[in-house]
Amino acid sequence: MSATDHTDESHSSDFIFICPSYLECVLAAGDAGDLDALRDWCAALPKKSYGRVFIEVDSAEHIQPIEAPPGVGVTWLVQRSRDAFTGELLMNAVDAWLDEWVRADPLSGRYVHLWAGARDSREVTAQWDRIRSELAEIWAAAAEYREQRA
């Protein structure tokens, strides 16, 4: 099974559906412009889902309640510096999450249902492309490893 077998692109966000049927590991990341889409996405998640939603905003005034399954945490990232490119906090958080949950044990076969937003920034879009390619490689290697061990 390859990563591309489960990829479905819709609108301006990427949806990568690769997850064992018994788990629903999720990661979503967006900005204030993605709030409605993130609310809809969270509402549609199975109750057994676990993972994280990261949302970058310009100020704490943009923080709003978002309903998510009990195992899915919502983290608000308030940009404090205008020196950073928009999305820098967001992508740093995504990379840190991936370091812990995917990159630390790439052969585990842990797959993630990924929602990728904040596409108004070229830098963020480039990083999403990099992450998508990296995850496809990790998942292909994990699948090959499992096949060899079977």
Side-chain angles (χ1 to χ4, degrees), residues 1-123:
M1 174 183 337
S2 73
T4 56
D5 291 340
H6 299 282
T7 301
D8 175 30
E9 293 184 30
S10 177
H11 305 296
S12 65
S13 299
D14 288 340
F15 297 88
I16 300 175
F17 300 96
I18 303 178
C19 190
S21 60
Y22 58 90
L23 293 178
E24 190 73 23
C25 184
V26 300
L27 172 63
D31 58 22
D34 297 316
L35 289 178
D36 289 338
L38 284 167
R39 271 192 196 89
D40 292 345
W41 184 78
C42 286
L45 290 174
K47 294 296 179 204
K48 66 182 178 177
S49 299
Y50 70 96
R52 181 68 51 188
V53 176
F54 294 108
I55 306 167
E56 183 174 321
V57 293
D58 292 334
S59 72
E61 295 169 354
H62 291 111
I63 296 174
Q64 305 171 15
I66 292 193
E67 297 286 327
V72 178
V74 177
T75 301
W76 293 88
L77 306 165
V78 180
Q79 194 175 63
R80 301 203 192 297
S81 168
R82 298 292 170 233
D83 295 335
F85 70 82
T86 301
E88 184 174 15
L89 285 174
L90 184 69
M91 298 315 293
N92 287 343
V94 167
D95 272 330
W97 190 91
L98 290 170
D99 283 347
E100 181 177 354
W101 288 95
V102 178
R103 295 175 183 137
D105 189 10
L107 297 179
S108 70
R110 179 179 292 120
Y111 295 114
V112 177
H113 178 167
L114 175 67
W115 190 94
R119 296 299 187 119
D120 291 338
S121 165
R122 281 194 328 259
E123 292 92 345

Side-chain angles (χ1 to χ4, degrees), residues 1-3 5 18 106-111 135-150:
M1 174 183 337
S2 73
D5 291 340
I18 303 178
L107 297 179
S108 70
R110 179 179 292 120
Y111 295 114
L135 292 178
E137 288 177 24
I138 287 171
W139 292 330
E144 183 178 322
Y145 176 75
R146 284 190 308 276
E147 285 177 13
Q148 290 174 356
R149 306 225 354 124

